[in-house]
Amino acid sequence: MPRLKTEINNILIEYNDPDVFLSSVVVGMPMRNSAHSICSALKSVLNQESSYSIAAFLINDGSTDDWENQLGDLLNSTNLVIAHTNLGNVCKVRNFIIEFVGRIFPEYQWLGRLDSDDELFDNISVHKTLVNGDRKSTRLNSSHTDISRMPSSA
């Protein structure tokens, strides 16, 4: 299936299903030359089980490796949005995620982040975190350390 493409503020955005932008949870994933680890990290987000709608927002910051080939069929996920940037610095990419999510995900209530060499602990990590946050009537802009672990190969 060919991915849909649009440009917003000179940023190329790729996705498969326009409904992904209605997700209530967005997990931002900064990435640069992470072909060796991005597949596991992305799978850990896309395989989350939850009553919340979860989108993986992958930010390719000028990668020159073969990350797209490594992702293979994951690129067909309806819960994946890819933004192509050239910010050149992971701190700038993290700030970009915070700024840009509100522009393209108008329904989002929760924003998390997962580095491209990390994985979520299990397939209900996001759900457990959100249920706890909702129970406490809080809103969470979570760093990956709240709901992730280093992959076993680290």
Side-chain angles (χ1 to χ4, degrees), residues 11-51:
I11 304 293
L12 176 63
I13 307 292
E14 296 183 77
Y15 57 98
N16 296 309
D17 182 350
D19 287 343
V20 70
F21 297 107
L22 301 176
S23 298
S24 60
V25 179
V26 179
V27 179
M29 302 178 67
M31 180 196 69
R32 183 180 181 106
N33 295 330
S34 299
H36 64 285
S37 61
I38 190 59
C39 192
S40 297
L42 185 58
K43 277 182 188 177
S44 79
V45 175
L46 295 176
N47 290 335
Q48 289 296 299
E49 297 174 10
S50 181
S51 56

Side-chain angles (χ1 to χ4, degrees), residues 110 124-134 140 142 146-147:
W110 297 87
I124 57 172
S125 295
V126 172
H127 184 80
K128 289 187 292 189
T129 301
L130 301 179
V131 167
N132 285 332
D134 278 345
L140 177 67
S142 171
D146 291 336
I147 55 177

